[in-house]
Amino acid sequence: MKPDTSSYYPESIDNRSDNSRFMPGGEMPDFIPSERPSVMENSALADEPNELDNHNGPEQTPGDNPENKAEWERVVDNVSHLLSWIFVPLLMPLYGTLLLFSESSLSFTPMLTKVIVTLVVIGLTAAIPMLLVILLKKLGLIEDIGLNGRKERLIPYIITIISFFITAFYFHLKGAPVRASMFFAGGGVAAIIELLINFRWKISAHAAGAAGVVAMLIHLAEDEYPSPDILGWIIFTVFMTGALGSARLWLRRHTLMQVLAGYVVGFCSVYLMMMIH
């Protein structure tokens, strides 16, 4: 029986008891789309019992072997991995910041300020969480940087949540519109909900992050004088969000319900928070 190799950063908990019917095979990590763990890693994970894990998923089939796949399947695999890397959840705040600076009233911000603020966002929401996870590994507080154990995921999730709210406060201090700050606060709320859900069930952080950006663009489109390019960006992000969800399903990281749940959590959290003016 193939052990649960799902990893956190930042992905959710795997429970296939009621959703495995949507997927033909096992699931993989969500946040960082790494390769499948080696046999040695799998053995180590199998020897570590966890009361919350559910190992009732299907056995690996011969079709899971890349050597047995058709050429078109390998192409789809590569495209799916590429989408997973490009739209990794840690980069969603960066993409949101770039869109705020181009499709909202913040487009009039001086270029130097845009660059400084963007670098701060990268540091707070991407670099710092990554470095702190590495530090936890060095200190022996986590056994695997991929955070395969459920109990190991709590601290990294808390770090991510704090980073989102600090970024929201930073935008507030810089005098940005309230809804710009609320975009990041909404990301923090979404991360809190994902954390709570992850104690019992797995949810797609990829889907949540992408849907949050869609929610932000829809808010920007509701301006009295929206950017002329905003509709095009909404169409593009909706399409890419759907493609990303399809990629996660193809790679067997998630079930259909887990992807849809990610969409709902990400979109509603950001949209409702940005309604605060």
Side-chain angles (χ1 to χ4, degrees):
M1 182 70 68
K2 176 183 171 185
D4 180 4
T5 58
S6 61
S7 67
Y8 159 72
Y9 208 76
E11 191 40 33
S12 17
I13 305 270
D14 180 15
N15 189 325
R16 305 179 194 165
S17 59
D18 42 337
N19 291 297
S20 59
R21 63 185 181 278
F22 292 101
M23 298 176 59
E27 297 170 350
M28 292 291 290
D30 178 71
F31 196 79
I32 300 180
S34 57
E35 298 298 326
R36 293 178 183 269
S38 64
V39 174
M40 183 177 297
E41 292 170 336
N42 279 339
S43 299
L45 291 174
D47 292 336
E48 182 182 358
N50 193 311
E51 65 275 10
L52 293 178
D53 283 339
N54 186 331
H55 300 297
N56 294 326
E59 298 282 359
Q60 184 174 2
T61 62
D64 293 328
N65 190 335
E67 297 180 357
N68 296 332
K69 291 185 177 181
E71 181 64 28
W72 70 269
E73 291 179 303
R74 288 193 288 270
V75 170
V76 176
D77 278 349
N78 291 334
V79 172
S80 297
H81 281 294
L82 180 62
L83 287 173
S84 296
W85 276 108
I86 293 175
F87 298 106
V88 67
L90 280 180
L91 294 180
M92 289 301 141
L94 170 60
Y95 296 151
T97 300
L98 295 176
L99 288 170
L100 283 170
F101 279 141
S102 64
E103 304 302 318
S104 73
S105 58
L106 291 176
S107 61
F108 299 102
T109 304
M111 181 56 66
L112 179 59
T113 302
K114 289 181 180 180
V115 172
I116 293 174
V117 171
T118 300
L119 291 176
V120 170
V121 170
I122 293 174
L124 289 174
T125 62
I128 290 178
M130 288 181 181
L131 290 175
L132 288 177
V133 169
I134 295 174
L135 178 61
L136 291 174
K137 175 69 167 61
K138 295 291 186 180
L139 294 176
L141 297 178
I142 61 175
E143 295 182 2
D144 181 11
I145 202 168
L147 302 170
N148 287 292
R150 296 176 188 239
K151 294 180 180 179
E152 295 181 339
R153 298 166 180 169
L154 176 62
I155 296 178
Y157 248 128
I158 293 175
I159 293 170
T160 301
I161 292 167
I162 293 174
S163 297
F164 269 107
F165 284 110
I166 291 178
T167 305
F169 185 64
Y170 171 73
F171 266 69
H172 172 70
L173 291 179
K174 297 296 290 185
V178 174
R179 64 182 178 184
S181 300
M182 290 299 102
F183 165 67
F184 297 99
V189 171
I192 292 174
I193 296 173
E194 290 172 47
L195 172 61
L196 297 176
I197 292 175
N198 285 343
F199 283 113
R200 300 299 303 174
W201 193 60
K202 190 174 183 181
I203 184 172
S204 174
H206 274 83
V213 174
V214 173
M216 180 200 71
L217 287 172
I218 291 177
H219 260 290
L220 296 183
E222 296 172 352
D223 281 350
E224 185 177 359
Y225 301 104
S227 166
D229 300 326
I230 194 69
L231 180 59
W233 276 112
I234 291 176
I235 294 173
F236 174 76
T237 53
V238 168
F239 173 79
M240 296 309 299
T241 298
L244 178 62
S246 298
R248 307 309 291 168
L249 290 173
W250 174 267
L251 294 174
R252 301 181 185 181
R253 265 57 168 186
H254 293 288
T255 66
L256 177 60
M257 291 303 298
Q258 290 163 359
V259 171
L260 294 177
Y263 287 153
V264 172
V265 169
F267 185 92
C268 292
S269 297
V270 172
Y271 189 85
L272 294 177
M273 288 298 291
M274 289 185 70
M275 290 180 67
I276 301 175
H277 290 277

